[in-house]
Amino acid sequence: HGVGGTWYWNRYPGAGSDIESLEYSYGFDEQLQQDWDWKERYASQPELEAYLEHVAERFDLNKDIKFGKNVAGLTWLDDAGSWLCKFSDGEEITVPYVVMATGLLSAPKEPDFQGLDKFKGRTLVTSSWPHEPIDFSGRTVGIIGTGSTAVQAIPIIAEQAGQLKVFQRTPNFSAPRNNGPLDKEYVDLVKSDYKGWREKQRNSFGGYVSVNFQAMDANPNNAMDMTPEQRRAEYEFRWKSGGLSFYTSFQDLLVSEEANEELADFFREKIAVRIDDPAVAEKLLPRGYPVLTKRLCADTNYYETYNRQNVELIDISTDKVERFEADGIVVGGTKVVLDDIVIATGFDAVTGAAVRIDIRGVAGISLGESWRDGPRTQAGIMTHGYPNMFFVNGPGSCTGFFNPVLNVEYQGNWISDLLDHMKAAGFGVVDSTQEAEQQWVERMEEAAKPTLFWKSENWYIGANVPGKARVMLLYLGGFPAYKEYMEGMAESRYPGFVFGGD
C-alpha cells in the first residue's frame, strides 16, 4: 500500500540498514543528495521509508504505481510479443516488457513448525510486521532466530517485554554497528564531493567505502602476508569503525582458512567480553563455519542484552523445536510458556520472490522449473526463454556483495539503454541466448569455487532453504569486473542477446 519495498514490510523493532545512510542512498540526482539530510549514520526503518516516500513524491512517481496489487501470474504471449500479467483480484493487463524488481531478501522462509496454527497468543513475523504499534509490556515473548533481523530486534524487545526467550539454532558473527547521530562535519565532507564519493563506491568491490568516517579503498594485502601485529591492528581499526568494514580488511579472508580462522578468533574474543555469564557466552560464540560467509551482522548492544535478568537464551541446535501448543513451544520435551512468538527465521533469498509468482515463458515453461537446479542468467539481466523480462538486484548480479541501491541504478540504466537500442533498431523482442548464459554461469562458478562460502549454511548459496539447489546465486567477481563486462557487451551491440519483432 506504499513505496519502500523491504523498508515498507520490515518495520520490526530496531530495523535499519547495515550500510551507512550517506552511501545507502540514491546517487542519480545531485540535488537530491544535497537536499536530503540523514539523521543517523545507519538509517532506521522509519527514516528510510520517509526517504523513499520523498523520492517518489519529488520525482512524481506515485502516478505510475499501482498500490495494493498482487501479481499472481505472468504468461509470455509469443504471437503478440508481450506479457499477460494476471492479478489476484482478477484484473489482467498486457505489457511489452517486465522488470522483476522483486527484491533480494523479500520472500520469507515458510515456517514449518508442527502445530504453528494451534498457538493462541500473538504470532508476529518480522518480514511482515504490523503497521500499528506492538506493546510487549509485561508479556513473555519468544523469538525464533538469531540472524541479522533478530540481532536488531532482540535488544529493543528485551527493553519492553516482561520476559524474552531467545531460541537460537546457530549463533552469528556480529560487529558493533556504532550507530548514532550524523556528525555535521562528516556530512559536509561527503556532500562537498558527493560525486567523487560515489565514484569510489562504484569502483569498489562492495559499493561502500566509509571506514572510520573517511572514504577508504579496500586493503590490497593478504592477511597472511602481514605480521600478527599488523593483522591485529587492522582488525582493531575495523572493529572501531564497525559494521561491514571487515569485508574490505584483507583480500584473502574468504579464501584462506588460516586467515579466516584468525579473524573468527578475534570476533569470539570481542564477543566473549561483552557477556557476563561464561556459559551463556559459550552458547553465543559462533563456531564450525567461516566468518563472513554468512552475512556479517551489525548490532547495538546485542550481546549485552543477554546480561539482562529478563532474557533467556534457549539452544535449539540439539534440542529442536518439537511443536507449538496453545500456550507456548515444546523444546526437548519441555514446554516454554509464551504470550507472543516472533518468527525471524530468514528468507528464501535472491530467487524466492520471483519463483513464487507463476511465470510462464516460451512454450509455457515455468521460471521455477527453469531454475530448479539453480538460476541461469545472462549477467543477472535476463534468463533464456523469458523474452522481454529483465531482472534487477537478482540472481547472477553483484547484489548481496555490492550496495543494492547503486547496483539497481546501474542495472536500471543498462536496461534502459538496451531498450533505446531496440527502439532505434526497430526491434520489439529481446531474449538472451543459452550460450551466453552458460558462459556467465561458468564465470560465476569460477569466481565462487575457491571461496569458503561452501563451508557454511548461508543464503548466498541457497543452503538455508531445504531442497533448494546449492549453487552460488550471486557474482563474486566484484562490481568493477561486472561493470567492465556489461559495458563491453553494450559497446559490442549486445552479443549474447537475440532480437526480433517490430
Side-chain angles (χ1 to χ4, degrees), residues 323-349:
R323 64 186 178 276
F324 282 55
E325 294 188 349
D327 57 349
I329 300 175
V330 178
V331 177
T334 301
K335 181 188 289 187
V336 182
V337 177
L338 301 167
D339 298 314
D340 304 315
I341 295 174
V342 176
I343 296 177
T345 50
F347 295 87
D348 183 354

Side-chain angles (χ1 to χ4, degrees), residues 419-482:
L419 295 178
D420 286 344
H421 167 78
M422 291 173 62
K423 183 177 180 180
F427 295 122
V429 177
V430 61
D431 196 1
S432 63
T433 68
Q434 288 180 307
E435 294 77 16
E437 283 183 2
Q438 182 60 30
Q439 290 173 8
W440 189 250
V441 167
E442 292 173 359
R443 185 171 178 142
M444 287 183 60
E445 289 176 347
E446 181 182 359
K449 187 176 181 180
T451 71
L452 300 174
F453 284 98
W454 309 104
K455 294 182 177 292
S456 75
E457 301 296 303
N458 62 79
W459 57 256
Y460 297 113
I461 61 172
N464 67 320
V465 177
K468 190 170 183 176
R470 198 179 176 101
V471 299
M472 177 54 72
L473 298 171
L474 303 164
Y475 178 56
L476 261 174
F479 187 73
Y482 178 81

Side-chain angles (χ1 to χ4, degrees), residues 1 3 202 255 398 411 461 480 486:
H1 298 287
V3 297
R202 294 186 180 106
V255 293
C398 294
Q411 289 188 309
I461 61 172
M486 298 295 284

